[in-house]
Amino acid sequence: EEESQPSYLHLLRTKTKARQVEKALAETEEVFREKMKVIADKWGDLHTRRVQLKDHIERSGKIIQENEDIRILALRIDSEEKEVNMQKQSELLRAKMELGALRKEHWKLHKKLQKYSIFKKYLDDVVKNSQFEDIPEVTSWYELLLRTYKDLLQSQQGQKELTEQDEVLLEQYRAEKEAEILQYKSELVQLKLRFDEAQSDILLWETRWADIQNKTSKKTRKLWTIKLAIHNLFQ
């Protein structure tokens, strides 16, 4: 993603991220100082309670040694002191780790800023030698061109998909029409065969019709001869 965007945008985003990290670093340091102050206060309270307890034990002498409740209280206070110490040490270690991670991130962003600073100078020269008024106008124009380019690619992809779909439909239509043509050719062959058969039948029936007419003509002539003979005999 970083390679597909202009270096100055990386610079702006890196500066923004650096400011965020610096702010988070400052807040973390402030929280760290507050935690250290709280830990110091609790350490002081625990030390005061321990001194008071020790003084009370020393002043009590034999009575404290015989008082089991005081001994249990001392053990509990000592256990609480150890638990608080462990908890505060854990919080201190975690705060140091967070502080170290933030410092490391801050250093990485600082190096990025140095790396991309050359592109700011380049964009300053572009603004100076072009019709743009400032760098944000250049980046806005670039983002507009990038969106237009993406829309164009999307449109071309859509046109390509439509073209492929049309080609598929055309291929289907061509296949259907070729199948119909084959069917029509087959029907035409059958019709030609029937036509040839009909032509053969026509010739046969014409021959028969000629024979019938010939026989009829002969019989007619015979009939007229008989009629004429009868008429002559009658005469």
Side-chain angles (χ1 to χ4, degrees), residues 136-151:
E137 186 177 356
V138 176
T139 57
S140 298
W141 181 252
Y142 170 79
E143 290 175 354
L144 176 62
L145 291 177
L146 186 61
R147 288 196 299 270
T148 305
Y149 176 71
K150 289 181 179 179
D151 293 339

Side-chain angles (χ1 to χ4, degrees), residues 25-209:
L25 184 61
E27 292 176 353
T28 305
E29 289 178 348
E30 182 65 24
V31 172
F32 180 73
R33 286 193 294 270
E34 291 178 357
K35 286 184 177 180
M36 290 299 296
K37 183 179 178 182
V38 172
I39 291 172
D41 293 339
K42 289 188 176 182
W43 269 97
D45 293 339
L46 288 172
H47 182 69
T48 302
R49 291 176 62 185
R50 191 169 186 178
V51 170
Q52 291 176 353
L53 179 61
K54 186 177 180 180
D55 183 61
H56 183 68
I57 292 174
E58 289 178 353
R59 284 187 287 102
S60 299
K62 242 182 194 181
I63 297 174
I64 294 177
Q65 292 179 1
E66 296 174 357
N67 195 333
E68 187 66 19
D69 293 337
I70 297 299
R71 188 181 67 82
I72 294 174
L73 178 61
L75 292 174
R76 187 170 66 248
I77 291 174
D78 187 63
S79 176
E80 290 177 356
E81 180 181 359
K82 290 180 180 180
E83 183 178 355
V84 170
N85 285 338
M86 292 177 62
Q87 182 179 359
K88 295 308 174 184
Q89 287 178 1
S90 177
E91 292 179 358
L92 183 62
L93 180 61
R94 185 169 60 253
K96 286 182 177 180
M97 292 175 64
E98 291 176 357
L99 188 61
L102 287 173
R103 284 176 176 170
K104 185 177 180 180
E105 183 69 18
H106 182 267
W107 174 246
K108 288 172 63 177
L109 292 174
H110 178 70
K111 290 179 68 177
K112 275 191 175 183
L113 284 174
Q114 290 180 342
K115 177 182 177 182
Y116 294 125
S117 60
I118 186 174
F119 299 107
K120 183 178 183 303
K121 183 179 181 301
Y122 170 75
L123 288 175
D124 287 335
D125 294 337
V126 171
V127 172
K128 184 178 179 181
N129 298 304
S130 67
Q131 73 276 15
F132 298 106
E133 295 181 357
D134 52 16
I135 293 177
E137 186 177 356
V138 176
T139 57
S140 298
W141 181 252
Y142 170 79
E143 290 175 354
L144 176 62
L145 291 177
L146 186 61
R147 288 196 299 270
T148 305
Y149 176 71
K150 289 181 179 179
D151 293 339
L152 180 60
L153 286 180
Q154 187 175 2
S155 177
Q156 290 178 349
Q157 182 66 25
Q159 291 294 333
K160 183 179 179 182
E161 292 177 357
L162 289 176
T163 303
E164 292 176 352
Q165 185 177 2
D166 291 339
E167 289 178 355
V168 172
L169 293 175
L170 180 60
E171 190 64 27
Q172 291 178 354
Y173 179 76
R174 186 183 292 115
E176 292 175 357
K177 292 306 174 184
E178 287 178 353
E180 290 180 2
I181 291 172
L182 291 175
Q183 183 179 357
Y184 291 149
K185 286 182 178 180
S186 176
E187 292 178 357
L188 182 61
V189 170
Q190 293 178 0
L191 289 174
K192 284 183 177 180
L193 292 174
R194 292 175 64 183
F195 178 77
D196 294 338
E197 292 176 357
Q199 289 289 340
S200 299
D201 292 340
I202 289 172
L203 292 175
L204 178 62
W205 285 108
E206 285 179 349
T207 303
R208 288 184 179 180
W209 176 249

